[in-house]
Amino acid sequence: GEVWRFFLVRDKRRIFPAVQLTEMEHSIIALSAQGLTTTDMSERVHITEVTVKHHRTRLFEKLEVGNITEALFMAINDRKL
């Protein structure tokens, strides 16, 4: 299956159970898993690119990762996919 579907169908509290992510942070990781660019994400969720980057930065801080690849890898490994 496609990795991004994992993020859309899971109960959002269970993707990273030890970390409290906002609805938008979950959206950012799900859209990233689909391969969307920052511009595409901003258009999809109707926020500015700067705001997308802000949410992505907060996501990285909460997960203690340096980039989206690490965040996706962490999510996939945590769920044993």
Side-chain angles (χ1 to χ4, degrees):
E2 296 172 351
V3 172
W4 68 271
R5 291 190 189 281
F6 162 75
F7 295 99
L8 297 179
V9 300
R10 298 280 181 196
D11 176 352
K12 292 176 178 155
R13 292 175 304 246
R14 292 171 48 208
I15 294 175
F16 298 107
V19 179
Q20 293 294 322
L21 299 181
T22 66
E23 190 77 21
M24 187 58 69
E25 290 162 350
H26 280 284
S27 295
I28 295 300
I29 198 166
L31 294 171
S32 296
Q34 293 179 56
L36 271 66
T37 65
T38 300
T39 301
D40 294 335
M41 286 186 243
S42 71
E43 292 171 0
R44 179 79 59 94
V45 296
H46 309 290
I47 59 177
T48 68
E49 291 180 40
V50 171
T51 304
V52 170
K53 291 175 184 178
H54 169 77
H55 288 295
R56 191 169 39 224
T57 298
R58 294 284 297 138
L59 174 69
F60 296 167
E61 290 170 356
K62 289 179 180 182
L63 298 178
E64 299 179 357
V65 297
N67 58 54
I68 197 63
T69 302
E70 291 177 9
L72 293 170
F73 183 79
M74 181 181 187
I76 292 166
N77 280 343
D78 284 352
R79 302 307 303 160
K80 307 290 190 265
L81 293 180

Coordinates of all heavy atoms in Angstrom, one line a residue:
G1 N 0.8 -1.2 0.0 CA 0.0 0.0 0.0 C 0.8 1.2 0.0 O 2.0 1.2 0.2
E2 N 0.2 2.3 -0.2 CA 0.9 3.6 -0.3 C 1.1 4.1 1.2 O 0.2 4.1 2.0 CB 0.1 4.6 -1.1 CG 0.0 4.2 -2.5 CD -1.0 5.1 -3.3 OE1 -1.7 5.9 -2.7 OE2 -1.1 4.9 -4.5
V3 N 2.3 4.6 1.4 CA 2.7 5.0 2.8 C 1.7 6.1 3.3 O 1.3 6.1 4.4 CB 4.1 5.5 2.8 CG1 4.4 6.2 4.1 CG2 5.1 4.4 2.5
W4 N 1.4 7.1 2.4 CA 0.6 8.2 2.9 C -0.8 7.8 3.4 O -1.3 8.4 4.3 CB 0.4 9.3 1.8 CG -0.4 8.9 0.6 CD1 0.0 8.2 -0.5 CD2 -1.8 9.0 0.5 NE1 -1.0 8.0 -1.3 CE2 -2.2 8.5 -0.8 CE3 -2.8 9.5 1.3 CZ2 -3.5 8.5 -1.2 CZ3 -4.1 9.5 0.8 CH2 -4.4 9.0 -0.4
R5 N -1.4 6.7 2.9 CA -2.6 6.2 3.4 C -2.6 5.8 4.9 O -3.5 6.0 5.6 CB -3.1 5.0 2.6 CG -3.5 5.4 1.2 CD -4.2 4.2 0.5 NE -4.4 4.5 -0.9 CZ -5.4 5.3 -1.4 NH1 -6.2 5.9 -0.6 NH2 -5.5 5.5 -2.7
F6 N -1.4 5.4 5.3 CA -1.2 5.0 6.7 C -1.5 6.2 7.6 O -2.1 6.0 8.6 CB 0.3 4.6 6.8 CG 0.8 4.6 8.3 CD1 0.4 3.6 9.2 CD2 1.6 5.6 8.7 CE1 0.9 3.7 10.5 CE2 2.1 5.6 10.0 CZ 1.7 4.7 10.9
F7 N -1.1 7.4 7.2 CA -1.3 8.5 8.0 C -2.7 9.0 8.0 O -3.2 9.6 8.9 CB -0.4 9.7 7.5 CG 1.1 9.3 7.7 CD1 1.8 8.9 6.6 CD2 1.7 9.5 8.9 CE1 3.2 8.6 6.8 CE2 3.0 9.2 9.1 CZ 3.7 8.7 8.0
L8 N -3.4 8.7 6.9 CA -4.8 9.2 6.8 C -5.8 8.3 7.5 O -6.8 8.8 8.0 CB -5.2 9.3 5.4 CG -4.4 10.3 4.6 CD1 -4.9 10.4 3.1 CD2 -4.5 11.7 5.1
V9 N -5.5 7.0 7.6 CA -6.5 6.1 8.2 C -6.3 5.8 9.7 O -7.1 5.3 10.3 CB -6.5 4.7 7.4 CG1 -6.9 5.0 6.0 CG2 -5.2 4.0 7.5
R10 N -5.1 6.0 10.2 CA -4.8 5.8 11.6 C -5.4 6.8 12.5 O -5.6 8.0 12.1 CB -3.3 5.8 11.8 CG -2.6 4.7 11.1 CD -2.7 3.4 11.7 NE -1.9 2.4 11.0 CZ -2.1 1.1 11.1 NH1 -2.9 0.7 12.0 NH2 -1.4 0.3 10.4
D11 N -5.8 6.4 13.7 CA -6.2 7.3 14.7 C -5.0 8.2 15.0 O -3.9 7.7 15.3 CB -6.6 6.5 16.0 CG -6.9 7.4 17.1 OD1 -6.7 8.7 17.0 OD2 -7.4 6.9 18.1
K12 N -5.1 9.5 14.8 CA -4.0 10.4 14.9 C -3.3 10.4 16.2 O -2.1 10.6 16.2 CB -4.5 11.8 14.5 CG -4.9 11.9 13.1 CD -5.4 13.2 12.7 CE -5.8 13.2 11.2 NZ -6.8 14.1 10.9
R13 N -3.9 10.0 17.2 CA -3.3 9.9 18.5 C -2.3 8.7 18.6 O -1.5 8.7 19.4 CB -4.3 9.9 19.7 CG -5.1 11.2 19.8 CD -6.1 11.0 20.9 NE -6.9 9.8 20.5 CZ -8.2 9.9 20.2 NH1 -8.8 11.1 20.2 NH2 -8.9 8.9 19.8
R14 N -2.5 7.8 17.7 CA -1.7 6.6 17.8 C -0.5 6.6 16.8 O 0.3 5.7 16.8 CB -2.6 5.4 17.5 CG -3.7 5.2 18.6 CD -4.7 4.1 18.2 NE -4.1 2.9 17.7 CZ -4.8 2.1 16.9 NH1 -6.0 2.4 16.5 NH2 -4.2 1.0 16.5
I15 N -0.4 7.6 15.9 CA 0.7 7.6 15.0 C 2.0 7.8 15.9 O 2.9 7.0 15.7 CB 0.6 8.7 14.0 CG1 -0.5 8.4 13.0 CG2 1.9 8.8 13.2 CD1 -0.8 9.5 12.0
F16 N 2.0 8.8 16.7 CA 3.1 9.0 17.6 C 2.5 9.1 19.0 O 2.2 10.2 19.5 CB 3.8 10.3 17.3 CG 4.5 10.3 15.9 CD1 3.9 11.0 14.9 CD2 5.6 9.5 15.7 CE1 4.5 11.0 13.7 CE2 6.2 9.5 14.5 CZ 5.6 10.3 13.4
P17 N 2.2 8.0 19.7 CA 1.4 8.0 20.9 C 2.1 8.9 22.0 O 1.4 9.4 22.9 CB 1.3 6.6 21.4 CG 2.1 5.8 20.4 CD 2.6 6.7 19.3
A18 N 3.4 9.0 22.1 CA 4.1 9.7 23.1 C 4.2 11.2 22.8 O 4.6 11.9 23.7 CB 5.5 9.1 23.3
V19 N 3.7 11.6 21.7 CA 3.9 13.0 21.2 C 2.5 13.6 20.9 O 1.7 12.9 20.2 CB 4.8 13.1 20.0 CG1 4.9 14.5 19.6 CG2 6.1 12.5 20.3
Q20 N 2.2 14.7 21.4 CA 0.9 15.4 21.1 C 1.1 16.3 19.9 O 1.7 17.3 20.0 CB 0.4 16.2 22.3 CG 0.1 15.4 23.5 CD -1.2 14.5 23.2 OE1 -2.1 14.9 22.6 NE2 -1.2 13.3 23.7
L21 N 0.6 15.8 18.7 CA 0.7 16.6 17.5 C -0.7 17.3 17.3 O -1.7 16.7 17.6 CB 1.0 15.7 16.3 CG 2.3 15.0 16.3 CD1 2.5 14.2 15.1 CD2 3.5 15.9 16.5
T22 N -0.6 18.5 16.7 CA -1.8 19.2 16.4 C -2.4 18.5 15.1 O -1.8 17.8 14.4 CB -1.6 20.7 16.1 OG1 -0.8 20.8 14.9 CG2 -0.9 21.3 17.3
E23 N -3.7 18.9 14.9 CA -4.3 18.4 13.6 C -3.5 18.8 12.4 O -3.4 18.1 11.5 CB -5.8 19.0 13.6 CG -6.6 18.4 12.5 CD -7.2 17.0 12.9 OE1 -7.2 16.7 14.1 OE2 -7.5 16.3 11.9
M24 N -3.0 20.1 12.4 CA -2.3 20.6 11.3 C -1.0 19.8 11.1 O -0.5 19.5 10.0 CB -2.1 22.1 11.4 CG -1.4 22.7 10.1 SD -2.4 22.4 8.6 CE -3.8 23.4 8.9
E25 N -0.3 19.5 12.2 CA 1.0 18.8 12.2 C 0.7 17.4 11.6 O 1.5 16.9 10.8 CB 1.6 18.7 13.5 CG 2.1 20.0 14.0 CD 2.4 20.1 15.5 OE1 2.0 19.2 16.3 OE2 3.0 21.1 15.9
H26 N -0.4 16.8 11.9 CA -0.7 15.5 11.3 C -1.0 15.7 9.8 O -0.6 14.8 9.0 CB -2.0 14.9 12.0 CG -1.7 14.2 13.3 ND1 -1.0 13.0 13.3 CD2 -1.8 14.6 14.5 CE1 -0.9 12.6 14.6 NE2 -1.3 13.6 15.3
S27 N -1.7 16.7 9.5 CA -1.9 17.0 8.0 C -0.6 17.2 7.3 O -0.5 16.7 6.2 CB -2.8 18.3 7.9 OG -4.1 18.1 8.4
I28 N 0.3 17.9 7.9 CA 1.6 18.2 7.2 C 2.3 16.9 7.0 O 2.9 16.6 5.9 CB 2.5 19.1 8.1 CG1 1.8 20.5 8.1 CG2 3.9 19.2 7.5 CD1 1.6 21.2 6.8
I29 N 2.4 16.0 8.0 CA 3.1 14.7 7.8 C 2.4 13.8 6.7 O 3.0 13.2 5.9 CB 3.4 14.0 9.1 CG1 4.5 13.0 8.9 CG2 2.2 13.4 9.7 CD1 5.1 12.4 10.1
A30 N 1.1 13.8 6.8 CA 0.3 13.0 5.8 C 0.5 13.6 4.4 O 0.7 12.8 3.4 CB -1.2 13.0 6.1
L31 N 0.5 14.9 4.2 CA 0.7 15.5 2.9 C 2.1 15.3 2.4 O 2.4 15.0 1.2 CB 0.3 16.9 2.9 CG -1.2 17.2 3.1 CD1 -1.4 18.7 3.4 CD2 -2.0 16.7 2.0
S32 N 3.1 15.3 3.4 CA 4.5 15.1 3.0 C 4.7 13.6 2.5 O 5.4 13.4 1.6 CB 5.4 15.3 4.2 OG 5.3 16.7 4.6
A33 N 4.0 12.7 3.2 CA 4.0 11.3 2.8 C 3.5 11.1 1.4 O 3.9 10.2 0.7 CB 3.3 10.4 3.8
Q34 N 2.6 12.0 0.9 CA 2.1 11.9 -0.4 C 3.1 12.6 -1.4 O 2.9 12.5 -2.6 CB 0.8 12.7 -0.5 CG -0.3 12.0 0.2 CD -1.6 12.8 0.1 OE1 -2.1 13.1 -1.0 NE2 -2.2 13.2 1.2
G35 N 4.1 13.2 -0.9 CA 5.1 13.8 -1.8 C 4.8 15.3 -2.2 O 5.4 15.8 -3.1
L36 N 3.8 15.9 -1.5 CA 3.5 17.3 -1.8 C 4.6 18.2 -1.4 O 5.2 18.0 -0.4 CB 2.2 17.7 -1.1 CG 0.9 17.4 -1.9 CD1 0.7 15.9 -2.1 CD2 -0.3 18.0 -1.2
T37 N 4.8 19.3 -2.2 CA 5.7 20.3 -1.9 C 5.1 21.3 -0.9 O 3.9 21.2 -0.6 CB 6.1 21.1 -3.1 OG1 4.9 21.8 -3.6 CG2 6.6 20.2 -4.2
T38 N 5.9 22.2 -0.3 CA 5.4 23.2 0.6 C 4.3 24.0 -0.1 O 3.2 24.3 0.5 CB 6.5 24.1 1.1 OG1 7.5 23.3 1.7 CG2 6.0 25.2 2.0
T39 N 4.5 24.4 -1.3 CA 3.5 25.1 -2.1 C 2.2 24.4 -2.2 O 1.1 24.9 -2.0 CB 4.1 25.5 -3.5 OG1 5.2 26.3 -3.3 CG2 3.0 26.3 -4.2
D40 N 2.3 23.1 -2.6 CA 1.2 22.2 -2.8 C 0.4 22.1 -1.4 O -0.8 22.2 -1.4 CB 1.5 20.9 -3.3 CG 2.1 20.9 -4.7 OD1 1.8 21.8 -5.4 OD2 2.9 19.9 -5.0
M41 N 1.1 21.9 -0.3 CA 0.5 21.8 1.0 C -0.2 23.1 1.3 O -1.4 23.0 1.8 CB 1.5 21.5 2.0 CG 2.0 20.0 2.0 SD 3.1 19.7 3.4 CE 4.6 19.4 2.6
S42 N 0.4 24.2 1.1 CA -0.2 25.5 1.5 C -1.5 25.7 0.7 O -2.5 26.1 1.3 CB 0.7 26.6 1.2 OG 0.9 26.9 -0.1
E43 N -1.5 25.3 -0.6 CA -2.8 25.4 -1.4 C -3.8 24.4 -0.9 O -5.0 24.7 -0.8 CB -2.4 25.2 -2.8 CG -1.6 26.3 -3.4 CD -1.1 26.0 -4.8 OE1 -1.4 24.9 -5.4 OE2 -0.4 26.9 -5.4
R44 N -3.4 23.2 -0.5 CA -4.3 22.2 -0.1 C -5.1 22.5 1.2 O -6.2 22.3 1.3 CB -3.6 20.8 0.0 CG -4.4 19.6 0.5 CD -5.2 19.0 -0.7 NE -4.4 18.5 -1.8 CZ -3.9 17.3 -1.9 NH1 -4.2 16.4 -1.0 NH2 -3.3 17.0 -3.0
V45 N -4.3 23.1 2.1 CA -4.9 23.3 3.5 C -5.2 24.8 3.7 O -5.6 25.2 4.8 CB -4.1 22.8 4.6 CG1 -4.0 21.3 4.6 CG2 -2.7 23.4 4.6
H46 N -5.0 25.6 2.6 CA -5.4 27.0 2.6 C -4.7 27.8 3.7 O -5.3 28.6 4.5 CB -6.9 27.2 2.8 CG -7.7 26.4 1.8 ND1 -7.7 26.6 0.5 CD2 -8.4 25.2 2.0 CE1 -8.4 25.7 -0.2 NE2 -8.9 24.9 0.7
I47 N -3.4 27.6 3.8 CA -2.5 28.4 4.6 C -1.3 28.9 3.8 O -1.1 28.4 2.7 CB -2.1 27.7 5.9 CG1 -1.3 26.4 5.6 CG2 -3.3 27.4 6.8 CD1 -0.8 25.7 6.8
T48 N -0.5 29.8 4.3 CA 0.6 30.3 3.6 C 1.8 29.3 3.7 O 1.8 28.4 4.5 CB 1.2 31.6 4.1 OG1 1.7 31.4 5.5 CG2 0.1 32.7 4.2
E49 N 2.7 29.4 2.7 CA 3.9 28.5 2.8 C 4.7 28.7 4.1 O 5.2 27.8 4.6 CB 4.8 28.8 1.6 CG 4.2 28.4 0.3 CD 5.0 28.6 -0.9 OE1 6.3 28.4 -0.8 OE2 4.5 29.0 -2.0
V50 N 4.8 30.0 4.5 CA 5.5 30.2 5.8 C 4.8 29.5 6.9 O 5.5 28.9 7.8 CB 5.5 31.8 6.1 CG1 6.0 32.1 7.5 CG2 6.3 32.5 5.0
T51 N 3.5 29.4 6.9 CA 2.8 28.7 8.0 C 3.0 27.2 7.9 O 3.2 26.5 8.9 CB 1.3 29.0 8.0 OG1 1.1 30.5 8.1 CG2 0.5 28.4 9.1
V52 N 3.0 26.7 6.7 CA 3.4 25.3 6.5 C 4.8 25.0 7.1 O 4.9 24.0 7.8 CB 3.4 24.9 5.0 CG1 4.0 23.5 4.8 CG2 2.0 24.9 4.4
K53 N 5.7 25.8 6.8 CA 7.1 25.6 7.3 C 7.1 25.7 8.8 O 7.8 25.0 9.5 CB 8.0 26.7 6.7 CG 8.2 26.5 5.2 CD 9.1 27.6 4.6 CE 9.2 27.4 3.1 NZ 10.0 28.4 2.5
H54 N 6.3 26.6 9.4 CA 6.2 26.7 10.9 C 5.7 25.4 11.5 O 6.3 24.9 12.4 CB 5.3 27.9 11.3 CG 4.9 27.9 12.7 ND1 5.8 28.3 13.7 CD2 3.8 27.5 13.4 CE1 5.3 28.2 14.9 NE2 4.1 27.7 14.7
H55 N 4.6 24.9 10.9 CA 4.0 23.6 11.4 C 5.0 22.5 11.3 O 5.2 21.6 12.1 CB 2.7 23.3 10.7 CG 1.6 24.2 11.1 ND1 1.1 24.2 12.4 CD2 0.9 25.1 10.4 CE1 0.1 25.1 12.5 NE2 0.0 25.6 11.3
R56 N 5.8 22.5 10.1 CA 6.7 21.4 9.9 C 7.9 21.5 10.9 O 8.3 20.5 11.5 CB 7.3 21.5 8.5 CG 8.1 20.3 8.1 CD 8.4 20.2 6.6 NE 8.7 21.5 6.0 CZ 8.2 21.9 4.9 NH1 7.4 21.2 4.1 NH2 8.6 23.1 4.4
T57 N 8.3 22.7 11.2 CA 9.4 22.9 12.2 C 8.9 22.5 13.6 O 9.7 21.8 14.3 CB 9.8 24.4 12.2 OG1 10.3 24.8 11.0 CG2 10.8 24.7 13.3
R58 N 7.7 22.8 14.0 CA 7.2 22.3 15.2 C 7.1 20.8 15.3 O 7.4 20.2 16.3 CB 5.8 22.9 15.5 CG 5.8 24.4 15.7 CD 6.3 24.9 17.1 NE 5.4 24.3 18.1 CZ 5.8 23.8 19.2 NH1 7.1 23.8 19.5 NH2 4.9 23.3 20.1
L59 N 6.7 20.2 14.2 CA 6.6 18.7 14.1 C 8.0 18.1 14.3 O 8.2 17.2 15.1 CB 6.1 18.4 12.7 CG 6.1 16.9 12.3 CD1 5.1 16.1 13.2 CD2 5.8 16.7 10.9
F60 N 9.0 18.7 13.7 CA 10.4 18.2 13.8 C 10.9 18.3 15.3 O 11.5 17.4 15.8 CB 11.4 19.0 12.9 CG 11.1 18.8 11.4 CD1 11.8 19.6 10.5 CD2 10.3 17.8 10.9 CE1 11.6 19.5 9.2 CE2 10.1 17.7 9.6 CZ 10.7 18.5 8.7
E61 N 10.5 19.5 15.9 CA 10.9 19.7 17.3 C 10.3 18.6 18.2 O 11.0 18.1 19.1 CB 10.6 21.1 17.7 CG 11.4 22.2 17.1 CD 10.9 23.6 17.3 OE1 9.8 23.7 18.0 OE2 11.5 24.5 16.9
K62 N 9.0 18.4 18.0 CA 8.3 17.5 18.9 C 8.8 16.1 18.7 O 8.9 15.3 19.6 CB 6.8 17.5 18.6 CG 6.1 18.8 19.1 CD 4.7 18.8 18.7 CE 4.0 20.1 19.2 NZ 2.5 20.0 18.9
L63 N 9.1 15.7 17.4 CA 9.6 14.3 17.2 C 11.1 14.2 17.4 O 11.6 13.1 17.3 CB 9.2 13.9 15.7 CG 7.7 13.9 15.4 CD1 7.5 13.5 14.0 CD2 7.0 12.9 16.4
E64 N 11.8 15.3 17.6 CA 13.2 15.4 17.7 C 13.9 14.8 16.5 O 14.8 13.9 16.6 CB 13.7 14.7 19.0 CG 13.1 15.3 20.2 CD 13.5 14.6 21.5 OE1 14.2 13.6 21.5 OE2 13.1 15.2 22.6
V65 N 13.5 15.3 15.3 CA 14.1 14.8 14.0 C 14.6 16.1 13.3 O 14.2 17.2 13.6 CB 13.1 14.0 13.2 CG1 12.7 12.7 13.9 CG2 11.9 14.8 12.8
G66 N 15.4 15.9 12.3 CA 15.9 17.0 11.5 C 15.2 17.3 10.2 O 15.4 18.4 9.6
N67 N 14.4 16.3 9.7 CA 13.8 16.6 8.4 C 12.6 15.6 8.3 O 12.4 14.7 9.1 CB 14.8 16.4 7.3 CG 15.4 15.0 7.3 OD1 14.7 14.0 7.3 ND2 16.7 15.0 7.3
I68 N 11.8 15.8 7.2 CA 10.6 15.1 7.0 C 10.9 13.6 6.7 O 10.1 12.7 7.1 CB 9.7 15.7 5.9 CG1 8.3 15.2 6.0 CG2 10.3 15.5 4.5 CD1 7.6 15.5 7.3
T69 N 12.0 13.3 6.1 CA 12.3 11.9 5.9 C 12.5 11.1 7.2 O 12.0 10.0 7.3 CB 13.6 11.8 5.0 OG1 13.4 12.5 3.8 CG2 14.0 10.3 4.7
E70 N 13.2 11.8 8.1 CA 13.3 11.1 9.4 C 12.0 11.0 10.1 O 11.8 10.0 10.8 CB 14.3 12.0 10.3 CG 15.7 12.0 9.9 CD 16.6 12.8 10.7 OE1 16.2 13.4 11.7 OE2 17.8 13.0 10.3
A71 N 11.1 12.0 10.0 CA 9.8 11.9 10.7 C 9.0 10.8 10.1 O 8.3 10.0 10.8 CB 9.1 13.2 10.5
L72 N 9.0 10.6 8.7 CA 8.3 9.6 8.1 C 8.9 8.2 8.4 O 8.1 7.2 8.7 CB 8.3 9.8 6.6 CG 7.5 11.0 6.1 CD1 7.8 11.2 4.6 CD2 6.0 10.8 6.3
F73 N 10.2 8.1 8.4 CA 10.8 6.9 8.8 C 10.5 6.5 10.2 O 10.2 5.3 10.5 CB 12.4 7.0 8.7 CG 13.1 5.8 9.0 CD1 13.2 4.8 8.0 CD2 13.8 5.6 10.2 CE1 14.0 3.6 8.3 CE2 14.5 4.5 10.5 CZ 14.6 3.5 9.5
M74 N 10.5 7.4 11.1 CA 10.1 7.2 12.5 C 8.7 6.7 12.6 O 8.4 5.7 13.4 CB 10.3 8.5 13.3 CG 9.9 8.4 14.8 SD 10.2 10.0 15.5 CE 10.0 9.7 17.2
A75 N 7.8 7.3 11.9 CA 6.4 6.9 12.0 C 6.2 5.5 11.4 O 5.5 4.7 12.0 CB 5.5 7.8 11.2
I76 N 6.8 5.2 10.3 CA 6.7 3.9 9.7 C 7.3 2.8 10.6 O 6.7 1.7 10.9 CB 7.4 3.8 8.3 CG1 6.6 4.7 7.4 CG2 7.5 2.4 7.8 CD1 7.3 5.0 6.1
N77 N 8.4 3.1 11.2 CA 9.1 2.1 12.1 C 8.3 1.9 13.4 O 8.1 0.8 13.9 CB 10.5 2.5 12.5 CG 11.5 2.2 11.4 OD1 11.2 1.4 10.5 ND2 12.6 2.8 11.4
D78 N 7.7 3.0 13.9 CA 6.9 2.9 15.1 C 5.7 2.0 14.9 O 5.2 1.3 15.8 CB 6.5 4.3 15.6 CG 7.6 5.0 16.3 OD1 8.6 4.4 16.5 OD2 7.4 6.2 16.6
R79 N 5.1 2.0 13.7 CA 3.9 1.2 13.4 C 4.3 -0.1 12.8 O 3.4 -0.9 12.4 CB 3.0 2.0 12.5 CG 2.5 3.3 13.0 CD 1.9 3.3 14.4 NE 0.8 2.4 14.5 CZ 0.3 1.9 15.6 NH1 0.8 2.1 16.7 NH2 -0.7 1.0 15.5
K80 N 5.6 -0.4 12.6 CA 6.1 -1.7 12.1 C 5.6 -1.9 10.7 O 5.3 -3.0 10.3 CB 5.7 -2.8 13.0 CG 6.1 -2.6 14.5 CD 7.5 -2.7 14.7 CE 7.9 -2.8 16.1 NZ 8.2 -1.5 16.7
L81 N 5.6 -0.9 9.9 CA 5.2 -1.1 8.5 C 6.4 -1.4 7.6 O 7.4 -1.0 7.8 CB 4.5 0.2 7.9 CG 3.2 0.6 8.5 CD1 2.7 1.9 7.9 CD2 2.2 -0.5 8.3

